[in-house]
Amino acid sequence: MSRITLKVNSRTHTVDVDSSTPLLYVLRNDLGLQSPRFGCGLGQCGACTVIVGGNAVRSCVTRAFTIKSEITTLEGLAKPGTLHPLQQAWIDEQVPQCGFCQTGQILNAKVLLDRNANPTDEQIREWMAGNLCRCMTYYRIQAAIRRAAKTMADARLGSGTEVSA
Amino acid sequence: MTAFTKIPKQVEDAMERWSGTTSRRDFLKNSGLLVVSFGTAAMAKASPLVPWSVAQTVAAEGAGPYPDPDFRQLDSWIVIHENSTATFYVGKTDGGQGTGTAFRQMMCDELDIAFDQTDLIMGATDLTVDQGGSGGSDGIERDGWPMRRVAAEARRVLLEMASDLFKMPVDQLAVADGVISVKADPSRKVSYGELIGGRRFNVTMTGQNINATTGKATVKPVQDLKIVGQSLPRYDIPPKVDGSQKWAVGATAPGMVHARNVRPPFAGAKLVSIDASSVAGLPGFIRVVNKGNYLAVVCEREEQAIAASRQLKVEWQKPATPPFPSSEDLYQYMRSASPTSSSRPDVVGNPDAVMARAAKVIEAEYEVPFQGHTALGPAHGMADPSGGQMTIYSNDMKSYGLRRGVASFLGMPRDRVRVVWMEGPQLYGRTAADDAGFEAAYLAKEIGRPVRMQWMRHEETAWDVKGPAYTFKLRGGLDAQGRLLALEYDARSADYNHIGYNDPDTVLIAQLMGRRPAAPAAGSARTPSEMYVIPNRRVTTHVVGLPLVWESPLRVGNLRDPNGPQVTFAGESFIDELAAAAKADPVEFRLKLLTADSSDDEEFKRTRSIAVIKAAAAEYGWDTRPSPKPVGKGPILTGRGISYCYRGRTVVAEIAEVEVNRETGHVWVKRFVCAHDCGLVINPGGLRRTIEGNLLYGLSRALHEEVQFDTEKVTSVDWRTHPTLTHADTPARIDVVVVNADPNPKRPDLPHYGAGEPSCKPTIAAVANAIYDATGVRIRRVPFRDERVLATLEAAHEAS
């Protein structure tokens, strides 16, 4: 066992786990964060996605001790009591069915919009292709990403500043 | 209002140890909404009802027994709180299609209370009446009726109470949003909370069974429903989007440990020996649990259990004979196997004689592989044996069945077992959630501590329950004018030993332990659901078994619909082939078969079928012409195909517009149109999204899904070896047309039919028909992966 210090959603935690422990189990079972979920353990489905240093990371195949940057999970995407424009768009479009995969969908979309504020339909389809949904809500997810991109663009025009989450 | 699932305090505490989200109790306290638990015996004696915190203390102490809530008691369904909010309790589960929201809408309308003043608890066996959980797309169609009637009864009782209070006859009173007022003097008013808040109705209703539950009140005519018919947002979506949702997969309890299964590496393998020393020194190791061929490891931490399950040394003995043919050889096997059962041919007219003199006879065979549930989150369950009880936290859609099955399996009285249904990954049919729930309960009893079981991806994909593979042979005889005179349909389904829901003899753990019911379930092969009038027809069906009947990863059971996508693929592909042979437009050909005779239009299915097909064609902008269209130049070919069916009493027609890349074989459905008649629509927005999901689910089965296996084991073990639809496949446009083709669409008792599954049924055929329209090549084996489409195109090119 070894002590690992992680900064997650602006809070610092120290846990004592085996060095081979995937980040997913530390987040879920030690820190009680339920939004990253086990889907495959192989990095194939995206249900365990978290954001680390601006990148969408698959926490099921990432060892906790390799993480040096701050981790953002869905719980920490927006300030408490507020919603990120993507989360609002997800509600407005009534995206989720069972909702199990939506953590990864939202966080991967966040990274997409951070890098490309106005993606084309083709770019959305391509960027999101690794986040699987067995309820098949893809059509609505894509609509929600377009909606959020527009909301965020409008906000930038309105305020003249970058929208921060 | 926020969404929640009722969970005992100790579980909630454990889950919220670190997350810092608003707890249900805090929420209730802050909102002034006191939810009460009266389902337990302790609570049932309490009147007036005790507040939530007391109820939860009882639950936390592991109190029991847990008798079934009495469906004839109005208090089992509806509780009115002092602040005039209400909690509804229903025995259903919501797989993510918004039925919970729809149930609330129906009950709010009958009770005359605002939607946002209500909450809903579902599928907790000690708190909600046994409506069976979910399945069969019948939640709205069947179970919505007792919900409407009990809510109407509550409204009637409240009106009588107000009548006593005001000394006015009921017909002099008005109700709106939970407030009853005197019509002549609206200043005289009383709220539901003031009338009964926090107290019991103590009203006994009647009804031979739960579906027949009724009080004295009658439900409102459709014209008076105000909340039904609105696209209200689903209450369960905000917590799924902000990270606050509680999931079965996250259920924890003090002292909980983690378990993982170790499956036989070969189908039908026998466990010879276990070397427990291979894992005994691992950190957190607790126990290897073994009985028969069932094997699991239990450790303190989750990653430890995973490591131990991989490291455990086990000797297995392969079976003497192969358990099944390889998936390559499956259809050949199915065609040549002796059926385990065959239906008596269903014959209309004289198909043999008419076929013999037909101007044109065409014949085709179709093949559909085993396809699995392959839930995004592998099967899981958490079982807590505290206090001599067994509480199982599960997303199993049939929580009541899980409770009955586990009680029987463990030899516990049913009232010592309860199942708390919680949200989980997609549950459409007999998923492995059943199996994981049993395994968690068995291990919890063995270990004497709460046990959380979760399957790994390879287990879920290889070992979950499969929809049956099918082979079909169809023949049709046309006259010189292209009219369909005779049709023969012969189907073979690999459905022997059909696994039931939560059956203590056939769940996987029972099979692996060597338990067997007297005989395997016979299974069935189905026939397409359409209303074509064909004067001469013969329909035969057969069930075939695979060599390995028990302990097989190729377990068959209900997968979404459960046989509709397969049989509709064959039936509606062949109708298209007949239309092409007759050089007729596919829509017109179908409409002629539906209008040929209208004398026996049971439930107006034929009338409604015609309306739905026409609506789909109109929405799409269908150009009337035979298929295929002249093959274009360039690598991308485009085409459109239609398919139609009904399921239960719901009628669906779908049109797919495809692009086929003839250089790669890649198929992209660019646009879907779906026309859908499910009678009275409760929530149009929810219906639309359910249909969108169904269309893409059908598309996934059309394009990607196939369980593959060699002669020893299933080789589909992850998302690479068992691909599914992705974002990249998503159509650019989906149009949904809601049709109400009831002959009397304004009738006050217009029924609400099911919508959970019907629209996934015609999709495979619509795509196949569109591929034919685009390329002139018929693809008769599912799925239409790039390499298969390319090979089929090339073979057709060489043949021509």
Side-chain angles (χ1 to χ4, degrees), chain B residues 201-230:
Chain B
F201 282 102
N202 282 324
V203 168
T204 303
M205 300 177 290
T206 58
Q208 282 303 302
N209 56 52
I210 197 160
N211 296 333
T213 311
T214 186
K216 292 176 190 160
T218 51
V219 297
K220 290 180 178 177
V222 166
Q223 285 71 19
D224 288 355
L225 299 177
K226 299 187 185 79
I227 301 171
V228 164
Q230 288 188 42

Side-chain angles (χ1 to χ4, degrees), chain B residues 3-318:
Chain B
F4 54 79
T5 301
K6 192 139 191 162
I7 8 173
K9 179 176 176 300
Q10 59 183 13
V11 177
E12 190 175 348
D13 283 350
M15 289 205 300
E16 300 197 347
R17 220 166 358 144
W18 301 99
S19 58
T21 55
T22 304
S23 75
R24 171 180 154 84
R25 276 166 291 108
D26 289 344
F27 157 71
L28 295 170
K29 203 163 49 191
N30 295 340
S31 68
L33 176 63
L34 292 178
V35 173
V36 291
S37 163
F38 50 85
T40 64
M43 292 306 102
K45 289 175 200 141
S47 185
L49 291 169
V50 293
W52 162 265
S53 54
V54 179
Q56 289 310 293
T57 306
V58 175
E61 288 164 0
Y66 309 114
D68 299 58
D70 180 357
F71 66 83
R72 292 191 187 87
Q73 288 302 315
L74 185 52
D75 293 303
S76 298
W77 298 81
I78 296 172
V79 172
I80 308 271
H81 310 290
E82 286 173 19
N83 62 358
S84 283
T85 60
T87 303
F88 301 137
Y89 293 78
V90 302
K92 299 297 292 177
T93 56
D94 183 351
Q97 298 178 312
T99 46
T101 298
F103 296 147
R104 258 173 77 180
Q105 287 181 259
M106 294 162 97
M107 294 180 81
C108 283
D109 241 334
E110 297 293 348
L111 182 59
D112 265 322
I113 189 168
F115 182 84
D116 64 5
Q117 294 301 299
T118 63
D119 218 323
L120 179 77
I121 292 177
M122 286 190 283
T125 61
D126 60 328
L127 300 176
T128 54
V129 296
D130 181 357
Q131 292 187 284
S134 292
S137 300
D138 54 13
I140 302 292
E141 177 164 343
R142 185 191 64 198
D143 307 293
W145 285 105
M147 295 180 202
R148 286 182 64 184
R149 288 193 296 263
V150 301
E153 179 67 358
R155 179 181 181 276
R156 183 192 69 79
V157 172
L158 287 159
L159 270 166
E160 286 202 345
M161 293 170 78
S163 168
D164 288 346
L165 182 73
F166 293 129
K167 308 280 185 276
M168 299 281 285
V170 165
D171 64 8
Q172 300 292 308
L173 302 175
V175 196
D177 286 348
V179 176
I180 300 175
S181 58
V182 177
K183 280 181 186 169
D185 178 8
S187 69
R188 295 178 68 194
K189 58 187 178 185
V190 63
S191 72
Y192 285 178
E194 288 164 334
L195 283 170
I196 201 170
R199 289 181 296 124
R200 299 172 66 86
F201 282 102
N202 282 324
V203 168
T204 303
M205 300 177 290
T206 58
Q208 282 303 302
N209 56 52
I210 197 160
N211 296 333
T213 311
T214 186
K216 292 176 190 160
T218 51
V219 297
K220 290 180 178 177
V222 166
Q223 285 71 19
D224 288 355
L225 299 177
K226 299 187 185 79
I227 301 171
V228 164
Q230 288 188 42
S231 293
L232 293 185
R234 269 170 47 196
Y235 64 85
D236 58 319
I237 284 182
K240 288 176 176 174
V241 164
D242 68 18
S244 62
Q245 179 67 48
K246 303 294 181 287
W247 301 83
V249 78
T252 59
M256 186 186 82
V257 294
H258 293 266
R260 285 296 185 279
N261 293 310
V262 179
R263 296 296 184 204
F266 312 104
K270 189 176 181 313
L271 196 156
V272 178
S273 67
I274 305 162
D275 177 7
S277 70
S278 60
V279 293
L282 291 180
F285 172 76
I286 296 173
R287 241 173 95 179
V288 172
V289 179
N290 166 238
K291 187 172 178 185
N293 296 320
Y294 178 72
L295 181 58
V297 293
V298 185
C299 293
E300 294 288 347
R301 289 181 58 92
E302 187 165 16
E303 68 276 9
Q304 294 167 342
I306 294 168
S309 70
R310 287 176 178 154
Q311 203 164 315
L312 183 66
K313 285 188 183 154
V314 189
E315 190 186 340
W316 299 89
Q317 185 183 6
K318 282 186 194 178

Side-chain angles (χ1 to χ4, degrees), chain B residues 521-540:
Chain B
S524 65
R526 304 292 176 90
T527 56
S529 305
E530 31 76 352
M531 292 300 290
Y532 299 133
V533 180
I534 303 165
N536 304 282
R537 102 196 252 173
R538 175 187 289 108
V539 173
T540 46

Side-chain angles (χ1 to χ4, degrees), chain B residues 651-671:
Chain B
V651 188
V652 191
E654 290 173 9
I655 295 169
E657 181 178 314
V658 299
E659 288 186 4
V660 182
N661 184 326
R662 63 173 150 193
E663 291 172 0
T664 64
H666 185 69
V667 175
W668 181 46
V669 173
K670 191 177 178 183
R671 183 185 175 200

Side-chain angles (χ1 to χ4, degrees), chain B residues 26 41 78 193 198 214 259 291 299 352 364 387 399 412 493 499 526 542 579 612 651 673 694 703 709 769:
Chain B
D26 289 344
I78 296 172
T214 186
K291 187 172 178 185
C299 293
D352 293 327
S399 45
M412 291 177 73
S493 155
I499 303 298
R526 304 292 176 90
H542 316 272
V612 165
V651 188
V673 170
N694 268 316
L703 296 184
F709 40 92
N769 293 342

Side-chain angles (χ1 to χ4, degrees), chain B residues 392-455:
Chain B
I392 301 154
Y393 303 88
S394 170
N395 71 316
D396 192 308
M397 71 178 191
K398 294 185 188 295
S399 45
Y400 303 88
L402 181 60
R403 175 196 184 215
R404 272 191 295 275
V406 166
S408 166
F409 185 72
L410 298 181
M412 291 177 73
R414 201 156 63 99
D415 64 4
R416 309 295 279 184
V417 179
R418 67 173 165 167
V419 175
V420 178
W421 178 81
M422 297 176 72
E423 296 271 356
Q426 152 242 3
L427 35 82
Y428 305 125
R430 202 308 199 174
T431 69
D434 288 22
D435 302 294
F438 275 70
E439 288 162 355
Y442 173 77
L443 294 170
K445 199 176 179 202
E446 285 292 303
I447 301 284
R449 289 171 69 178
V451 172
R452 179 177 177 278
M453 163 60 73
Q454 183 159 26
W455 288 19

Side-chain angles (χ1 to χ4, degrees), chain A residues 1 11 13 16-18 21-22 25-26 28-35 37-45 47 74-75 82-83 86-88 90-103 105-106 121 124-126 128-142 145-146, chain B residues 15 17-19 95-97 232-234 236-238 240-243 245 247 249-250 258 260 283 301-304 306 372-378 380 423-426 428 452 454-457 560 668 688-690 692-693 696-697 700 705 718-720 724-734:
Chain A
M1 304 290 261
R11 288 176 63 184
H13 306 269
D16 192 18
V17 294
D18 187 273
T21 306
Y25 303 114
V26 176
R28 289 187 60 81
N29 299 337
D30 295 290
L31 306 186
L33 294 163
Q34 298 292 307
S35 76
R37 284 182 274 279
F38 176 81
C40 64
L42 304 164
Q44 293 178 350
C45 76
L74 184 64
E75 290 90 338
T82 68
L83 293 173
L86 276 162
Q87 291 170 310
Q88 187 60 53
W90 246 249
I91 293 171
D92 293 341
E93 289 289 342
Q94 293 283 289
V95 170
Q97 290 196 15
C98 85
F100 199 85
C101 73
Q102 300 294 346
T103 296
Q105 306 283 359
I106 293 169
D121 292 357
I124 292 173
R125 273 199 276 269
E126 193 180 326
M128 298 297 293
N131 282 80
L132 304 180
C133 172
R134 287 290 290 161
C135 298
M136 307 291 168
T137 62
Y138 300 125
Y139 187 70
R140 283 290 148 188
I141 292 171
Q142 293 173 17
I145 294 172
R146 288 192 293 270
Chain B
M15 289 205 300
R17 220 166 358 144
W18 301 99
S19 58
Q97 298 178 312
L232 293 185
R234 269 170 47 196
D236 58 319
I237 284 182
K240 288 176 176 174
V241 164
D242 68 18
Q245 179 67 48
W247 301 83
V249 78
H258 293 266
R260 285 296 185 279
R301 289 181 58 92
E302 187 165 16
E303 68 276 9
Q304 294 167 342
I306 294 168
H373 288 86
T374 59
L376 192 81
H380 53 272
E423 296 271 356
Q426 152 242 3
Y428 305 125
R452 179 177 177 278
Q454 183 159 26
W455 288 19
M456 300 302 286
R457 168 51 48 198
R560 199 170 186 183
W668 181 46
R688 192 198 146 94
R689 281 156 186 77
T690 295
E692 288 170 4
L696 297 197
Y697 171 71
S700 186
E705 297 183 36
D718 59 16
W719 294 116
R720 293 215 170 83
T724 178
L725 200 81
T726 77
H727 274 284
D729 299 305
T730 308
R733 181 172 164 191
I734 298 176

